[in-house]
Amino acid sequence: MEGKGGEMSGRAKGRRRKITPLSKTFEERPQDQIHSQGEEDVDQFPFPFRFWILACVQLICGAAVYLGLWIVPYLMGGLSIIFQPVETLRICFVVAFPVILFSFSMLRLQPEICPVWWAAFRGFLSLPIGMIVASFIATIFGAPVSYESAVRTLHWGALVSTLTVVPVAAVAGGSWPMWHQLFAATKPNGPLELALCLPAHGAAIGSWVGAWPMPLDWERPWQEWPVCCTYGAVGGYLLTVFVSLGWNAVNLRQSSKGEEEKAK
Amino acid sequence: MTLSLAKRAFSLFVYLLVLDGVAIFFFTRGFLLTRSELPAFSDCSDVSSISSCTGETVKCLSGECKENDYTEDKLAYGPIKNQGTPELAQSGASGRQGKKLNEQCSTRPVIKKAIVLIIDALRFDFVAHSRNFKGEPKPWMDNLPVLQRLIEEDNTTARLFKFLADPPTTTQQRLKGLTTGGLPTFIDIGHSFGAPAIVEDNLILQMQRTGKRVVMMGDDTWLQLFPTQFAKAYPFPSFNVKDLHTVDDGVISELFPALHRDDWDVLIGHFLGVDHVGHTFAVESPFMVEKLKQYNDVIEGVVTLLRNMSEPGGLLEDTLLIVMGDHGQTLNGDHGGGTPEEVETALFALSMNRRSGGCLSKALISSCEVEDPVIGCISSIPQLDFSATLASFLGVPFPFGSVGQVNAELFDLVVRDPESSPLDSRGDSGSSLCTLRMLERYKDVLCTNSRQVKRYFEAYSAVAISGFPKQDLERLETLYSTAHDLNVTHSCSTCQLSSISDVELIPTMTRRMIDESQVQVEAYRAYLSAAASLARSQWTQFGIEWMAVGLSLLFASIAIRAVALHRLSQNGQERWEVGLLPIKPLLVNSIGSSYPIVMLIVLQPLFRGTPFYSAMMYIQENLSIVIIGVTIAASVISYMTASPRPFSGKNLRFWIGGSEKKRRFPTAEQMDLRSLAAALFLILHALSLFSNSYIVAEGVVINFFMASSGMIYLRSAIKAHSKISQAICYLGVIWILPRIHSLALFKGLKAIEGPGFFGSGLDFADSGSILLLQLILTITTVAFPLIALTWVIRWKLSKSYLSTGRLWKSVQSGISISYFLIAVYWILMDLTSSGLISRPDHVMRFVRLDIPRAIYLISSVVISAAAVREIHSWRIFGSKLTSAAEILLRTAAVVVSGFSGSLMILMGRKGPLILMAVALEVWCFLELQALTSCGRSTNLISSDMERREVESIIPSFRATADWSLIALQIFFSTGHSCAFDGLHFSAAFVGFDDFGFYQQGILLAVETFGSSHVLPIFGLPFLVVWRLRFTRSSGQADDKYVIVEVTKGYLWFGLIRLVLTAVTTASVCIQRRHLMVWGIFAPKFVFDSLGFLVVDVLVILVTSLFFFIPGRKQHSS
């Protein structure tokens, strides 16, 4: 499952080039600058603020996903993922997608050459690609392919790619080294990359684990595709959001000590 | 004794085969316990000699009360006599009853003739009205309107029941169960190919003995079960499931003439069409409707004849018509298991005896399965009861081994009170008198029935090796004596009734006596039901100790493989090689261990009277098996302890490869993501085998794991920046492979275009476009894959090691010819089956029979030529020029490609496409092996890393685990499943029309295990050598190295499969009381263990090639 992001990145890159040749101009520069990016970031935001902004963004995204999946559908006439999966997934997507897209657009790399609208735009562009690739991968794993379930699969794919691909696309755009580093090598470097990488993997692995109860003959409505995979994806996402927050907080103390020593 | 490494490896595999075989045999002996079949038969005399059941009450009513005799009863049940009324004790005159009973033998016949029409795989919803089912009426419902009409017209002469079969729901087991009234155990299913005659007492035999003439027509399974018992038989071949009409047309042509003749008493007609339609086209197909309509006409005809000829004195007077199924089927047309769809079938009974309505108390009729708005309650009958019920109607003795009871409702339907007509006029009291008499008769029948069951239980406990548990027998005994006491106390109270002169008292007396009889009937029924449920539990009684021994031997075999792998990975030190198969300790210990047992037996008389004696008697009884078990156990222990160095705690850490100090634990590079994932998948897969749902969904589970491993490969490929397209292609094949089988176009255009399926969308007049469509279809799905495969074999495979030699050239041309023949075969078959071209029959016969046979011939010639060549060149030249890799690859390539032709024709139309997908998948997989654990691509590999890759057993595990997953995926995506209904019986008739046990068995085995066992195991050397190409910088590997790696590969492959098999076995053992044990777990166990033995045998075949490798090089190293 972990290769998923990697493949998406490959596709995303290839297609984006075809769709919007404009982006080339933005893409070629970051590739050279990717290593020096950390220092620029420091310049952009003073050190302790970076962490708090990131933490706020992550918490907001987590809250949006949670609200979107459970609270808002409930308020909107008692919908539930178990009985109205398509409608609920759509609501969850509508609630979570703009929040995630715009909040991560705020954290984009190279803000000096990349305006917010462009970050949001490339995040938006990554959605259909991610959705289709995620749905296809779901069918490889055994999701049914009839018309009715294809609708469900696409809705699920939209939600999952909102959780995995969209933030990365908004932050890093078509930067291949970044995608490679996050999803193929799985070596996040710094708090921002961790906050991108870990929840994405959490969502993917969560939905992988979420598929396990499906073959059981308990005949519960939540065993239907894609209910438990959605639970898995959102559960994994929320869990890893908190894990990455905690991890960053622990590292914050250490690195702030380092900063202080440096300052001395 | 010094053996080369190669020979040691070969002998190790032989040893493992023996070990696994014994383990599985032991477990099977405990698990698939058979019922002991008693050779005893019921007889008129043995029923009458103990009988106090029949006759007297009837005689009471006809004023013979005073003449009744209870002497025998007093003899048999002395203490009870005092409880009887004084009148009873005084009654005399003995001779009459015995004589009378001898004449009428157990029960009085109430029907003269019976017609039993069996419709194979009759679903309950074929017969019952569609209003009883939820949702829209399905196309297959309500196609037997004649039955529905009869039931609705008069529910007292015609009635419908839900007929409940006991699994296994295969025809032969069901026929056995229906006729013997017993519970055929699971092991019988093994005889499904060569149906053996029933040796137990059964209904047909009893009919023959009492002079009833039984005529059979239809399914020839009957004749296999009862070779001599029929007065006349018209068998028709049943095994070819594609043949929808032969059996049915045969039955129909014989049935009506037979009905006009008077040369039979019982007529059995067995229709197979519905079963075959289900197997071939599934329930929803239009053929099913057609078939059912045909049966409707037949039944209509039979009923009309019956009506016309059933007047008193007519040919069919007092005839009972029964239309029933032997089992149901799922919507896919499968059966064999225990799901409601398969178990529920229907029984329709029509009695031509119209003397009165059924007046048996409604209270007896308890089980209401379906509440029909028009006809009321539809109740259910277990198939167990069929034999006893029909025997009681026909007046033949109950079969000795029957554990069923006479069904109350059928009894009520068929048995008529002979005196009812005059009494009926008396209104209410008349009907209650009728009820009373019927109850008394039913009670008598049940009494005889209970005696027979009791006698059977006694005889069985006396004879069988594992009898019934004591406390259960005692409980039954109590139930029986309760019932019997009641009977003796009350049986002649009816006599009082006839002697009562006061008319006013009659109704109250009657009512009281009805209540009393009802209590008695219930007591008997309680006994019979308890007996049946005890029998049900008993014949799934397991030999726990055998199972435990078998299971522990299986786990011992796992341990041996692990130890062998550890010893093998010690990188070529001589003493470790010896440890691969330490022959001397093995032989000495295993032979030595049986010595004390033999001594014990010899010295046995000395121990007489000691507590050991009974244990020794047990050993002596099972001497051969005990000796085998002890020998094997000793050899296992000696293998484990025969360490090449002094035993120490360090030895136990055999999991860790490499030399002792350096690598206690695998390093991070070895335990990379792919190995961890492979181990995780194996563990998850093994755990999933404990749940029946996962076993049912195993194909999906395997696919899920394949997809996961494909994603991991993709990730590694992206990480390494190489082989990305292969990884994507691999994922694509994983996506497509399981879907090929379920593509609708393989069912053939004919099935798709069946009447009413496409509606008027496809016009048959437009045959030109259909011809075109069919041609395109056939060419894309058959011809194109064949061309691709030919290309692979002719050009791609030739590029590697095996290009040289005339043999390979001729093999190539042979394979090309067989592929061409396959294409011709399918094009002709498709075009004729869709009626587009017609050829004379003899041409089509040639195509149908001779082309497949030619392909089989080519395959066997190619494979044996390869074998002969190896032996020949080894003899003449001593194989100076060949290396181990070359021999292995060449033979593997010849066998795999030669075998593929036969396999493809057996797999049917989808064969070529599936094999092409498999070839593509394997190619991608082999390419992806270039990604080493470090995620670097081939060229970057350093010498240090090479050493690590070589020494460790981890990479070998990683590759083999994925290989085994691929093999499993092939098994499931070729439409197989671990259930007996997953066998493709139609494959057994490719190239043959007639049934022969061996040829059809071989074809079926090849089709079942060919693609998923033969191909992967013969292909494993490819994987090994291919991997070496990437890991050895020197390119060419030396022989010893290849042998070690191939042996490692097979050890891992065996280990992985063995873990799965052992877990299946353990789960079967744990779940042996599970509801689904016979439906799901037991077939899974049979498939797994058989498949595993096949793996063992094939591995031995491949490793026997080691003998042809020159030994010179190994000794030098």
Side-chain angles (χ1 to χ4, degrees), chain B residues 951-991:
Chain B
E951 280 178 18
S952 167
I953 48 175
I954 303 283
S956 168
F957 164 70
R958 189 176 57 207
T960 320
D962 288 343
W963 190 250
S964 156
L965 263 185
I966 291 181
L968 285 173
Q969 197 198 19
I970 295 172
F971 180 78
F972 288 105
S973 57
T974 43
H976 294 99
S977 59
C978 289
F980 292 103
D981 49 308
L983 288 174
H984 297 168
F985 286 110
S986 54
F989 286 90
V990 176

Side-chain angles (χ1 to χ4, degrees), chain B residues 180-201:
Chain B
T180 60
L183 293 155
T185 43
F186 188 74
I187 197 71
D188 291 338
I189 211 162
H191 299 297
S192 211
F193 262 93
I198 295 181
V199 293
E200 276 183 303
D201 194 7

Side-chain angles (χ1 to χ4, degrees), chain A residues 139 141 180 184 186 208 212 217, chain B residues 693-694 708 715 718 735 739:
Chain A
T139 59
F141 276 86
H180 186 267
T186 331
W208 187 79
W212 288 356
D217 61 351
Chain B
S693 338
Y694 284 111
S708 315
R715 179 184 174 278
I718 292 174
W735 185 80
R739 287 174 170 79

Side-chain angles (χ1 to χ4, degrees), chain B residues 17-33:
Chain B
L17 171 67
V18 173
L19 178 60
D20 299 332
V22 169
I24 287 170
F25 168 73
F26 274 32
F27 187 86
T28 311
R29 196 191 138 107
F31 177 63
L32 300 179
L33 248 201

